Amino acid sequence: MTKQVQQLDRVIIRFAGDSGDGMQLTGDRFTAGTAEFGNDLSTLPNFPAEIRAPAGTLPGVSSFQLHFADHDILTPGDAPNVLVAMNPAALKANLGDLPKGADIIANTDEFTKRNLQKVGYEVSPLDDDTLSEWRVHAVPLTSLTVKALEGFDLSKKDAERSKNMFALGLLSWLYHRPTEHTISFLEQKFAKKPEIAKANIAAFQAGWNYGETTESFSVSYEVKPAKLPPGVYRNISGNQALAYGLIAASVQSKLPLFLGSYPITPASDILHELSRHKRFGIRTFQAEDEIAGVGAALGAAFGGALGVTTTSGPGVALKAETIGLAVMTELPLILVDVQRAGPSTGMPTKTEQTDLLMAMFGRNGESPVPIVAPSTPSDCFDAAIEAARIAVKYRTPVYLLSDGYLANGSEPWRLPEVGDLPDISTEFAVKTDEAFLPYKRDAETLSRPWAIPGTAGLEHRIGGIEKADGSGNISYDPNNHDLMVRLRQAKIDGIDVPDLEVDDPDGDAKVLVLGWGSTYGPIAAAVRRIRKAGGKVAQTHLRHLNPLPANTGEVLKSYDKVLLPEINLGQLALLLRAKFLVDIISYNRVRGLPFKAEELAGVIQDVIDSE
């Protein structure tokens, strides 16, 4: 049977099922095939915080959304064109996001009376008119998988576990994804269990063959590769990019990298990734708690290493005292905060931008710390190098504010040329004929010397008590304290950061949309929509939040209205209003999810219309 092939410019697919259904693995494998094919892509994993939420319930639903296209895209997409629902809970949890006319591929085997009752369905939505506005493909994924694996020495339960690979094979056929990458992955993943590897490959191939032969799918779809700038690309998540950026920073600074960290969602993957790269001289230390992690990292910085600690919001609160110590001792330290929904434990697997004010002020005393925020998963690489540059050049702890959306999301990343990476090397203090003054400052940067402990002639006091200017001796002198407070602040204020660049094509927009961190993609996509409809709007995005670019005030005052969307209750808006006396228009949603482009486009249009 010859089937029609339809050309599409983009597709948004969401895999959804129980936490034990392997939706994250399925989405990751489909993403890998899509990246190999050459599409531009963006992903949004979404999963429960519990290791194993109750099976078949709404809290236990795990999903993975992938947006891929033949052109440059900026977000994982607002609403899926295709929902793969492995059970009734997955259908009910995601149906509200599904536009009318979208495709639903439902695993009919799981729509049992018991599973339906768990989520409040009295009658199966597959059997009444509940889904009449969507195109439903009822596929018995579980039983088809078991049938395909009859020749393997597997129990029925073990065979059923491969149903996600059957679904992956079906979707790979439906959208013409390459299969070699997935087969190779399964062979490597289950190299020590060859029977399991063969079973999963067989299930994957059975899913592909089902799509090829069934009458349920008369059309398959093709999304051609995107025309991206030439280079070598790989698919990368924010946490991977950040880890690679730290490795690059270690090489470019000529300093050994030491990571002191305590595992915490969603930052743990950075520890996992860095632990695999000992050949670069990377040392990773899984501490017994958050305080020990940052203490070890600061100790490594004192010893002449590039000290790094990774955490999320609750861990930042615990590390605050040691960060203050790093401010007082003026040692380079990188603090990676992968923000998540709070307060307290909050929603550990959901994203937010709610730690900005804590990063700015969450320490006792006047203790200024620079803040850098990446804007996309791949930008985490460059942001890590920038954080390291500031830390070693200005002898200061630096916050790197990522978040769960960036950490777990992925996109194509063009590998940089090593020769293009910045040289951020620094020099340690050396013995001279003059008496060593550990707090004598560089005239340009106001940074103090970095003296390696044990170096003859460079002995000096270190600790949290106030230091005398120059000598570094303990001092309770009021005027000296005032001087040192002002010097530490001036050092941060004087950090060289590039000016804000404004995207205003015609130069006559009256509304500026400002963002920071992971809001970049949704804002940029929304701005595209407004411009495509004939509207005029300018856009700019902050990477450096402390200090702010020198032209920030000038940019803000150049527009009649400034709109600032944040996934918090207006933290950056509060800072900008106070500093520049500009009436920022805040748009705030704190749902644990990134903004949708359509949502922001509506908000932008409302601001334009109110002119």
Side-chain angles (χ1 to χ4, degrees), residues 238-239 242 266 270 311-312 335-340 351-355 372-377 380 383 399-408 516-518:
N239 275 347
L242 208 155
I270 303 170
T311 190
S312 191
L335 303 120
V336 177
D337 176 7
V338 185
Q339 300 166 94
R340 74 188 205 190
T351 195
E352 277 183 9
Q353 292 183 299
T354 43
D355 293 351
V372 176
S375 57
T376 68
C380 290
Y399 266 107
L400 198 163
L401 288 185
S402 179
D403 61 39
Y405 170 44
L406 296 182
N408 295 316
W516 69 275
S518 65

PDB file of all heavy atoms in Angstrom, residues 238-239 242 266 270 311-312 335-340 351-355 372-377 380 383 399-408 516-518:
ATOM      1  N   GLY A 238      20.571  22.325  28.766  1.00  0.00           N
ATOM      2  CA  GLY A 238      21.198  23.424  29.489  1.00  0.00           C
ATOM      3  C   GLY A 238      22.210  22.953  30.509  1.00  0.00           C
ATOM      4  O   GLY A 238      23.285  23.545  30.647  1.00  0.00           O
ATOM      5  N   ASN A 239      21.895  21.894  31.248  1.00  0.00           N
ATOM      6  CA  ASN A 239      22.847  21.396  32.247  1.00  0.00           C
ATOM      7  C   ASN A 239      24.109  20.844  31.600  1.00  0.00           C
ATOM      8  O   ASN A 239      25.223  21.028  32.117  1.00  0.00           O
ATOM      9  CB  ASN A 239      22.188  20.328  33.110  1.00  0.00           C
ATOM     10  CG  ASN A 239      21.405  20.917  34.279  1.00  0.00           C
ATOM     11  OD1 ASN A 239      21.534  22.102  34.595  1.00  0.00           O
ATOM     12  ND2 ASN A 239      20.592  20.105  34.922  1.00  0.00           N
ATOM     13  N   LEU A 242      26.135  23.820  30.415  1.00  0.00           N
ATOM     14  CA  LEU A 242      26.763  24.506  31.536  1.00  0.00           C
ATOM     15  C   LEU A 242      27.995  23.743  32.010  1.00  0.00           C
ATOM     16  O   LEU A 242      29.048  24.341  32.294  1.00  0.00           O
ATOM     17  CB  LEU A 242      25.741  24.647  32.670  1.00  0.00           C
ATOM     18  CG  LEU A 242      25.931  25.829  33.601  1.00  0.00           C
ATOM     19  CD1 LEU A 242      24.597  26.215  34.242  1.00  0.00           C
ATOM     20  CD2 LEU A 242      26.936  25.521  34.693  1.00  0.00           C
ATOM     21  N   PRO A 266      16.872  20.846  40.156  1.00  0.00           N
ATOM     22  CA  PRO A 266      17.243  20.214  38.884  1.00  0.00           C
ATOM     23  C   PRO A 266      18.707  20.441  38.502  1.00  0.00           C
ATOM     24  O   PRO A 266      19.025  20.507  37.323  1.00  0.00           O
ATOM     25  CB  PRO A 266      16.314  20.925  37.903  1.00  0.00           C
ATOM     26  CG  PRO A 266      16.169  22.306  38.477  1.00  0.00           C
ATOM     27  CD  PRO A 266      16.334  22.194  39.962  1.00  0.00           C
ATOM     28  N   ILE A 270      24.559  18.449  36.434  1.00  0.00           N
ATOM     29  CA  ILE A 270      25.861  19.115  36.235  1.00  0.00           C
ATOM     30  C   ILE A 270      26.943  18.337  36.969  1.00  0.00           C
ATOM     31  O   ILE A 270      28.037  18.099  36.429  1.00  0.00           O
ATOM     32  CB  ILE A 270      25.798  20.575  36.720  1.00  0.00           C
ATOM     33  CG1 ILE A 270      24.687  21.343  35.993  1.00  0.00           C
ATOM     34  CG2 ILE A 270      27.143  21.269  36.507  1.00  0.00           C
ATOM     35  CD1 ILE A 270      24.402  22.709  36.572  1.00  0.00           C
ATOM     36  N   THR A 311      23.578  24.174  42.769  1.00  0.00           N
ATOM     37  CA  THR A 311      22.463  23.954  43.663  1.00  0.00           C
ATOM     38  C   THR A 311      21.195  24.511  43.044  1.00  0.00           C
ATOM     39  O   THR A 311      21.174  24.956  41.897  1.00  0.00           O
ATOM     40  CB  THR A 311      22.732  24.598  45.038  1.00  0.00           C
ATOM     41  OG1 THR A 311      21.745  24.178  45.969  1.00  0.00           O
ATOM     42  CG2 THR A 311      22.740  26.113  44.945  1.00  0.00           C
ATOM     43  N   SER A 312      20.107  24.499  43.836  1.00  0.00           N
ATOM     44  CA  SER A 312      18.881  25.189  43.490  1.00  0.00           C
ATOM     45  C   SER A 312      18.466  26.031  44.700  1.00  0.00           C
ATOM     46  O   SER A 312      19.210  26.101  45.689  1.00  0.00           O
ATOM     47  CB  SER A 312      17.782  24.192  43.102  1.00  0.00           C
ATOM     48  OG  SER A 312      16.678  24.859  42.535  1.00  0.00           O
ATOM     49  N   LEU A 335      28.788  30.217  41.701  1.00  0.00           N
ATOM     50  CA  LEU A 335      27.625  29.614  42.351  1.00  0.00           C
ATOM     51  C   LEU A 335      26.538  29.428  41.306  1.00  0.00           C
ATOM     52  O   LEU A 335      25.934  30.398  40.853  1.00  0.00           O
ATOM     53  CB  LEU A 335      27.126  30.519  43.475  1.00  0.00           C
ATOM     54  CG  LEU A 335      28.202  30.830  44.525  1.00  0.00           C
ATOM     55  CD1 LEU A 335      28.446  32.313  44.606  1.00  0.00           C
ATOM     56  CD2 LEU A 335      27.803  30.272  45.863  1.00  0.00           C
ATOM     57  N   VAL A 336      26.301  28.193  40.906  1.00  0.00           N
ATOM     58  CA  VAL A 336      25.278  27.891  39.905  1.00  0.00           C
ATOM     59  C   VAL A 336      23.971  27.596  40.624  1.00  0.00           C
ATOM     60  O   VAL A 336      23.878  26.639  41.395  1.00  0.00           O
ATOM     61  CB  VAL A 336      25.690  26.689  39.034  1.00  0.00           C
ATOM     62  CG1 VAL A 336      24.574  26.359  38.047  1.00  0.00           C
ATOM     63  CG2 VAL A 336      26.997  26.971  38.304  1.00  0.00           C
ATOM     64  N   ASP A 337      22.973  28.434  40.381  1.00  0.00           N
ATOM     65  CA  ASP A 337      21.641  28.234  40.952  1.00  0.00           C
ATOM     66  C   ASP A 337      20.682  27.890  39.817  1.00  0.00           C
ATOM     67  O   ASP A 337      20.313  28.754  39.027  1.00  0.00           O
ATOM     68  CB  ASP A 337      21.191  29.509  41.682  1.00  0.00           C
ATOM     69  CG  ASP A 337      19.761  29.412  42.226  1.00  0.00           C
ATOM     70  OD1 ASP A 337      19.175  28.322  42.154  1.00  0.00           O
ATOM     71  OD2 ASP A 337      19.250  30.442  42.711  1.00  0.00           O
ATOM     72  N   VAL A 338      20.306  26.612  39.723  1.00  0.00           N
ATOM     73  CA  VAL A 338      19.313  26.191  38.732  1.00  0.00           C
ATOM     74  C   VAL A 338      17.948  26.341  39.400  1.00  0.00           C
ATOM     75  O   VAL A 338      17.510  25.465  40.143  1.00  0.00           O
ATOM     76  CB  VAL A 338      19.570  24.748  38.260  1.00  0.00           C
ATOM     77  CG1 VAL A 338      18.602  24.382  37.138  1.00  0.00           C
ATOM     78  CG2 VAL A 338      21.011  24.587  37.789  1.00  0.00           C
ATOM     79  N   GLN A 339      17.298  27.476  39.161  1.00  0.00           N
ATOM     80  CA  GLN A 339      16.111  27.851  39.913  1.00  0.00           C
ATOM     81  C   GLN A 339      14.949  26.878  39.681  1.00  0.00           C
ATOM     82  O   GLN A 339      14.763  26.365  38.581  1.00  0.00           O
ATOM     83  CB  GLN A 339      15.669  29.259  39.513  1.00  0.00           C
ATOM     84  CG  GLN A 339      16.710  30.322  39.770  1.00  0.00           C
ATOM     85  CD  GLN A 339      16.355  31.607  39.060  1.00  0.00           C
ATOM     86  OE1 GLN A 339      15.730  32.496  39.624  1.00  0.00           O
ATOM     87  NE2 GLN A 339      16.758  31.712  37.803  1.00  0.00           N
ATOM     88  N   ARG A 340      14.166  26.705  40.739  1.00  0.00           N
ATOM     89  CA  ARG A 340      12.980  25.860  40.681  1.00  0.00           C
ATOM     90  C   ARG A 340      11.868  26.512  41.497  1.00  0.00           C
ATOM     91  O   ARG A 340      12.100  27.475  42.229  1.00  0.00           O
ATOM     92  CB  ARG A 340      13.290  24.469  41.208  1.00  0.00           C
ATOM     93  CG  ARG A 340      13.447  24.397  42.719  1.00  0.00           C
ATOM     94  CD  ARG A 340      13.938  23.036  43.169  1.00  0.00           C
ATOM     95  NE  ARG A 340      13.557  22.736  44.542  1.00  0.00           N
ATOM     96  CZ  ARG A 340      14.027  21.711  45.229  1.00  0.00           C
ATOM     97  NH1 ARG A 340      14.910  20.889  44.675  1.00  0.00           N
ATOM     98  NH2 ARG A 340      13.623  21.481  46.464  1.00  0.00           N
ATOM     99  N   THR A 351       9.819  24.951  36.857  1.00  0.00           N
ATOM    100  CA  THR A 351      10.739  26.077  36.681  1.00  0.00           C
ATOM    101  C   THR A 351      10.182  27.381  37.238  1.00  0.00           C
ATOM    102  O   THR A 351       8.969  27.575  37.305  1.00  0.00           O
ATOM    103  CB  THR A 351      11.075  26.242  35.186  1.00  0.00           C
ATOM    104  OG1 THR A 351      12.204  27.083  35.041  1.00  0.00           O
ATOM    105  CG2 THR A 351       9.898  26.836  34.412  1.00  0.00           C
ATOM    106  N   GLU A 352      11.077  28.271  37.655  1.00  0.00           N
ATOM    107  CA  GLU A 352      10.736  29.638  38.069  1.00  0.00           C
ATOM    108  C   GLU A 352      11.953  30.535  37.923  1.00  0.00           C
ATOM    109  O   GLU A 352      13.076  30.057  37.738  1.00  0.00           O
ATOM    110  CB  GLU A 352      10.250  29.686  39.526  1.00  0.00           C
ATOM    111  CG  GLU A 352       8.791  29.356  39.716  1.00  0.00           C
ATOM    112  CD  GLU A 352       8.329  29.472  41.154  1.00  0.00           C
ATOM    113  OE1 GLU A 352       9.081  29.978  42.024  1.00  0.00           O
ATOM    114  OE2 GLU A 352       7.194  29.046  41.412  1.00  0.00           O
ATOM    115  N   GLN A 353      11.696  31.851  38.048  1.00  0.00           N
ATOM    116  CA  GLN A 353      12.781  32.847  38.082  1.00  0.00           C
ATOM    117  C   GLN A 353      12.719  33.596  39.412  1.00  0.00           C
ATOM    118  O   GLN A 353      12.867  34.809  39.458  1.00  0.00           O
ATOM    119  CB  GLN A 353      12.613  33.851  36.940  1.00  0.00           C
ATOM    120  CG  GLN A 353      12.820  33.299  35.552  1.00  0.00           C
ATOM    121  CD  GLN A 353      12.707  34.403  34.508  1.00  0.00           C
ATOM    122  OE1 GLN A 353      11.664  35.035  34.370  1.00  0.00           O
ATOM    123  NE2 GLN A 353      13.777  34.646  33.769  1.00  0.00           N
ATOM    124  N   THR A 354      12.557  32.875  40.490  1.00  0.00           N
ATOM    125  CA  THR A 354      12.213  33.504  41.761  1.00  0.00           C
ATOM    126  C   THR A 354      13.379  33.684  42.726  1.00  0.00           C
ATOM    127  O   THR A 354      13.169  34.065  43.876  1.00  0.00           O
ATOM    128  CB  THR A 354      11.104  32.685  42.450  1.00  0.00           C
ATOM    129  OG1 THR A 354      11.404  31.287  42.325  1.00  0.00           O
ATOM    130  CG2 THR A 354       9.765  32.933  41.801  1.00  0.00           C
ATOM    131  N   ASP A 355      14.600  33.443  42.272  1.00  0.00           N
ATOM    132  CA  ASP A 355      15.751  33.574  43.181  1.00  0.00           C
ATOM    133  C   ASP A 355      16.571  34.836  42.933  1.00  0.00           C
ATOM    134  O   ASP A 355      17.646  35.006  43.510  1.00  0.00           O
ATOM    135  CB  ASP A 355      16.672  32.352  43.045  1.00  0.00           C
ATOM    136  CG  ASP A 355      16.022  31.069  43.543  1.00  0.00           C
ATOM    137  OD1 ASP A 355      14.942  31.156  44.150  1.00  0.00           O
ATOM    138  OD2 ASP A 355      16.600  29.997  43.314  1.00  0.00           O
ATOM    139  N   VAL A 372      24.930  36.564  36.563  1.00  0.00           N
ATOM    140  CA  VAL A 372      24.872  36.304  35.125  1.00  0.00           C
ATOM    141  C   VAL A 372      23.734  35.302  34.892  1.00  0.00           C
ATOM    142  O   VAL A 372      23.595  34.335  35.643  1.00  0.00           O
ATOM    143  CB  VAL A 372      26.202  35.721  34.609  1.00  0.00           C
ATOM    144  CG1 VAL A 372      26.109  35.346  33.138  1.00  0.00           C
ATOM    145  CG2 VAL A 372      27.341  36.707  34.841  1.00  0.00           C
ATOM    146  N   ALA A 373      22.932  35.530  33.844  1.00  0.00           N
ATOM    147  CA  ALA A 373      21.803  34.639  33.564  1.00  0.00           C
ATOM    148  C   ALA A 373      21.798  34.230  32.095  1.00  0.00           C
ATOM    149  O   ALA A 373      21.671  35.084  31.214  1.00  0.00           O
ATOM    150  CB  ALA A 373      20.482  35.319  33.919  1.00  0.00           C
ATOM    151  N   PRO A 374      21.929  32.929  31.788  1.00  0.00           N
ATOM    152  CA  PRO A 374      21.827  32.462  30.393  1.00  0.00           C
ATOM    153  C   PRO A 374      20.400  32.570  29.886  1.00  0.00           C
ATOM    154  O   PRO A 374      19.442  32.586  30.669  1.00  0.00           O
ATOM    155  CB  PRO A 374      22.283  31.005  30.481  1.00  0.00           C
ATOM    156  CG  PRO A 374      21.987  30.596  31.891  1.00  0.00           C
ATOM    157  CD  PRO A 374      22.174  31.824  32.730  1.00  0.00           C
ATOM    158  N   SER A 375      20.245  32.605  28.561  1.00  0.00           N
ATOM    159  CA  SER A 375      18.927  32.815  27.965  1.00  0.00           C
ATOM    160  C   SER A 375      18.361  31.588  27.264  1.00  0.00           C
ATOM    161  O   SER A 375      17.153  31.495  27.060  1.00  0.00           O
ATOM    162  CB  SER A 375      18.989  33.972  26.957  1.00  0.00           C
ATOM    163  OG  SER A 375      19.957  33.710  25.959  1.00  0.00           O
ATOM    164  N   THR A 376      19.202  30.634  26.867  1.00  0.00           N
ATOM    165  CA  THR A 376      18.766  29.420  26.186  1.00  0.00           C
ATOM    166  C   THR A 376      19.596  28.250  26.707  1.00  0.00           C
ATOM    167  O   THR A 376      20.632  28.452  27.347  1.00  0.00           O
ATOM    168  CB  THR A 376      18.947  29.520  24.657  1.00  0.00           C
ATOM    169  OG1 THR A 376      20.363  29.533  24.364  1.00  0.00           O
ATOM    170  CG2 THR A 376      18.295  30.781  24.094  1.00  0.00           C
ATOM    171  N   PRO A 377      19.171  27.001  26.439  1.00  0.00           N
ATOM    172  CA  PRO A 377      19.990  25.870  26.879  1.00  0.00           C
ATOM    173  C   PRO A 377      21.439  25.948  26.397  1.00  0.00           C
ATOM    174  O   PRO A 377      22.368  25.765  27.190  1.00  0.00           O
ATOM    175  CB  PRO A 377      19.261  24.664  26.286  1.00  0.00           C
ATOM    176  CG  PRO A 377      17.830  25.082  26.249  1.00  0.00           C
ATOM    177  CD  PRO A 377      17.868  26.538  25.884  1.00  0.00           C
ATOM    178  N   CYS A 380      23.920  28.444  28.030  1.00  0.00           N
ATOM    179  CA  CYS A 380      24.508  28.103  29.331  1.00  0.00           C
ATOM    180  C   CYS A 380      26.018  27.889  29.210  1.00  0.00           C
ATOM    181  O   CYS A 380      26.770  28.117  30.170  1.00  0.00           O
ATOM    182  CB  CYS A 380      23.836  26.869  29.911  1.00  0.00           C
ATOM    183  SG  CYS A 380      22.122  27.135  30.444  1.00  0.00           S
ATOM    184  N   ALA A 383      27.534  31.416  29.140  1.00  0.00           N
ATOM    185  CA  ALA A 383      27.316  32.073  30.425  1.00  0.00           C
ATOM    186  C   ALA A 383      28.266  31.534  31.486  1.00  0.00           C
ATOM    187  O   ALA A 383      28.725  32.279  32.357  1.00  0.00           O
ATOM    188  CB  ALA A 383      25.866  31.888  30.863  1.00  0.00           C
ATOM    189  N   TYR A 399      27.178  34.665  40.849  1.00  0.00           N
ATOM    190  CA  TYR A 399      25.989  33.834  40.671  1.00  0.00           C
ATOM    191  C   TYR A 399      25.738  33.597  39.188  1.00  0.00           C
ATOM    192  O   TYR A 399      25.768  34.523  38.382  1.00  0.00           O
ATOM    193  CB  TYR A 399      24.747  34.529  41.240  1.00  0.00           C
ATOM    194  CG  TYR A 399      24.422  34.139  42.657  1.00  0.00           C
ATOM    195  CD1 TYR A 399      24.646  35.024  43.711  1.00  0.00           C
ATOM    196  CD2 TYR A 399      23.883  32.889  42.945  1.00  0.00           C
ATOM    197  CE1 TYR A 399      24.325  34.681  45.014  1.00  0.00           C
ATOM    198  CE2 TYR A 399      23.565  32.536  44.242  1.00  0.00           C
ATOM    199  CZ  TYR A 399      23.796  33.431  45.276  1.00  0.00           C
ATOM    200  OH  TYR A 399      23.490  33.080  46.558  1.00  0.00           O
ATOM    201  N   LEU A 400      25.437  32.337  38.843  1.00  0.00           N
ATOM    202  CA  LEU A 400      24.955  31.995  37.516  1.00  0.00           C
ATOM    203  C   LEU A 400      23.532  31.474  37.700  1.00  0.00           C
ATOM    204  O   LEU A 400      23.329  30.395  38.243  1.00  0.00           O
ATOM    205  CB  LEU A 400      25.856  30.953  36.854  1.00  0.00           C
ATOM    206  CG  LEU A 400      25.738  30.796  35.331  1.00  0.00           C
ATOM    207  CD1 LEU A 400      26.940  30.052  34.771  1.00  0.00           C
ATOM    208  CD2 LEU A 400      24.466  30.069  34.917  1.00  0.00           C
ATOM    209  N   LEU A 401      22.538  32.265  37.271  1.00  0.00           N
ATOM    210  CA  LEU A 401      21.134  31.914  37.471  1.00  0.00           C
ATOM    211  C   LEU A 401      20.572  31.220  36.231  1.00  0.00           C
ATOM    212  O   LEU A 401      20.147  31.867  35.276  1.00  0.00           O
ATOM    213  CB  LEU A 401      20.303  33.169  37.777  1.00  0.00           C
ATOM    214  CG  LEU A 401      20.486  33.820  39.146  1.00  0.00           C
ATOM    215  CD1 LEU A 401      19.501  34.971  39.309  1.00  0.00           C
ATOM    216  CD2 LEU A 401      20.302  32.810  40.266  1.00  0.00           C
ATOM    217  N   SER A 402      20.564  29.909  36.253  1.00  0.00           N
ATOM    218  CA  SER A 402      19.849  29.122  35.251  1.00  0.00           C
ATOM    219  C   SER A 402      18.480  28.792  35.836  1.00  0.00           C
ATOM    220  O   SER A 402      18.087  29.353  36.864  1.00  0.00           O
ATOM    221  CB  SER A 402      20.639  27.858  34.910  1.00  0.00           C
ATOM    222  OG  SER A 402      19.967  27.067  33.965  1.00  0.00           O
ATOM    223  N   ASP A 403      17.719  27.910  35.200  1.00  0.00           N
ATOM    224  CA  ASP A 403      16.459  27.447  35.791  1.00  0.00           C
ATOM    225  C   ASP A 403      16.102  26.088  35.207  1.00  0.00           C
ATOM    226  O   ASP A 403      16.761  25.587  34.291  1.00  0.00           O
ATOM    227  CB  ASP A 403      15.327  28.460  35.594  1.00  0.00           C
ATOM    228  CG  ASP A 403      14.984  28.755  34.143  1.00  0.00           C
ATOM    229  OD1 ASP A 403      14.984  27.813  33.322  1.00  0.00           O
ATOM    230  OD2 ASP A 403      14.703  29.924  33.825  1.00  0.00           O
ATOM    231  N   GLY A 404      15.045  25.488  35.751  1.00  0.00           N
ATOM    232  CA  GLY A 404      14.675  24.136  35.355  1.00  0.00           C
ATOM    233  C   GLY A 404      14.334  24.006  33.883  1.00  0.00           C
ATOM    234  O   GLY A 404      14.609  22.971  33.264  1.00  0.00           O
ATOM    235  N   TYR A 405      13.718  25.027  33.310  1.00  0.00           N
ATOM    236  CA  TYR A 405      13.363  25.006  31.885  1.00  0.00           C
ATOM    237  C   TYR A 405      14.615  24.921  31.026  1.00  0.00           C
ATOM    238  O   TYR A 405      14.707  24.098  30.107  1.00  0.00           O
ATOM    239  CB  TYR A 405      12.544  26.257  31.571  1.00  0.00           C
ATOM    240  CG  TYR A 405      12.292  26.526  30.099  1.00  0.00           C
ATOM    241  CD1 TYR A 405      11.923  25.509  29.224  1.00  0.00           C
ATOM    242  CD2 TYR A 405      12.395  27.819  29.595  1.00  0.00           C
ATOM    243  CE1 TYR A 405      11.673  25.775  27.888  1.00  0.00           C
ATOM    244  CE2 TYR A 405      12.143  28.090  28.260  1.00  0.00           C
ATOM    245  CZ  TYR A 405      11.787  27.067  27.409  1.00  0.00           C
ATOM    246  OH  TYR A 405      11.549  27.327  26.085  1.00  0.00           O
ATOM    247  N   LEU A 406      15.613  25.754  31.319  1.00  0.00           N
ATOM    248  CA  LEU A 406      16.866  25.700  30.567  1.00  0.00           C
ATOM    249  C   LEU A 406      17.623  24.409  30.851  1.00  0.00           C
ATOM    250  O   LEU A 406      18.183  23.789  29.946  1.00  0.00           O
ATOM    251  CB  LEU A 406      17.747  26.894  30.923  1.00  0.00           C
ATOM    252  CG  LEU A 406      17.240  28.292  30.573  1.00  0.00           C
ATOM    253  CD1 LEU A 406      18.279  29.336  30.969  1.00  0.00           C
ATOM    254  CD2 LEU A 406      16.926  28.399  29.091  1.00  0.00           C
ATOM    255  N   ALA A 407      17.658  24.007  32.112  1.00  0.00           N
ATOM    256  CA  ALA A 407      18.460  22.851  32.529  1.00  0.00           C
ATOM    257  C   ALA A 407      18.052  21.580  31.809  1.00  0.00           C
ATOM    258  O   ALA A 407      18.895  20.814  31.329  1.00  0.00           O
ATOM    259  CB  ALA A 407      18.335  22.661  34.035  1.00  0.00           C
ATOM    260  N   ASN A 408      16.734  21.338  31.724  1.00  0.00           N
ATOM    261  CA  ASN A 408      16.230  20.084  31.153  1.00  0.00           C
ATOM    262  C   ASN A 408      15.882  20.191  29.678  1.00  0.00           C
ATOM    263  O   ASN A 408      15.808  19.184  28.982  1.00  0.00           O
ATOM    264  CB  ASN A 408      15.001  19.622  31.935  1.00  0.00           C
ATOM    265  CG  ASN A 408      15.328  19.274  33.368  1.00  0.00           C
ATOM    266  OD1 ASN A 408      16.322  18.626  33.643  1.00  0.00           O
ATOM    267  ND2 ASN A 408      14.500  19.725  34.300  1.00  0.00           N
ATOM    268  N   TRP A 516      14.862  38.619  30.899  1.00  0.00           N
ATOM    269  CA  TRP A 516      16.126  38.079  31.407  1.00  0.00           C
ATOM    270  C   TRP A 516      15.972  36.560  31.533  1.00  0.00           C
ATOM    271  O   TRP A 516      14.869  36.043  31.673  1.00  0.00           O
ATOM    272  CB  TRP A 516      16.530  38.716  32.742  1.00  0.00           C
ATOM    273  CG  TRP A 516      15.678  38.366  33.927  1.00  0.00           C
ATOM    274  CD1 TRP A 516      14.503  38.971  34.309  1.00  0.00           C
ATOM    275  CD2 TRP A 516      15.945  37.347  34.920  1.00  0.00           C
ATOM    276  NE1 TRP A 516      14.022  38.397  35.459  1.00  0.00           N
ATOM    277  CE2 TRP A 516      14.876  37.408  35.870  1.00  0.00           C
ATOM    278  CE3 TRP A 516      16.968  36.413  35.093  1.00  0.00           C
ATOM    279  CZ2 TRP A 516      14.826  36.558  36.975  1.00  0.00           C
ATOM    280  CZ3 TRP A 516      16.910  35.561  36.194  1.00  0.00           C
ATOM    281  CH2 TRP A 516      15.850  35.641  37.119  1.00  0.00           C
ATOM    282  N   GLY A 517      17.095  35.865  31.434  1.00  0.00           N
ATOM    283  CA  GLY A 517      17.079  34.420  31.611  1.00  0.00           C
ATOM    284  C   GLY A 517      16.250  33.707  30.563  1.00  0.00           C
ATOM    285  O   GLY A 517      16.200  34.095  29.387  1.00  0.00           O
ATOM    286  N   SER A 518      15.520  32.667  30.995  1.00  0.00           N
ATOM    287  CA  SER A 518      14.880  31.745  30.069  1.00  0.00           C
ATOM    288  C   SER A 518      13.643  32.301  29.380  1.00  0.00           C
ATOM    289  O   SER A 518      13.055  31.622  28.543  1.00  0.00           O
ATOM    290  CB  SER A 518      14.489  30.461  30.803  1.00  0.00           C
ATOM    291  OG  SER A 518      13.494  30.731  31.784  1.00  0.00           O
TER     292      SER A 518
END
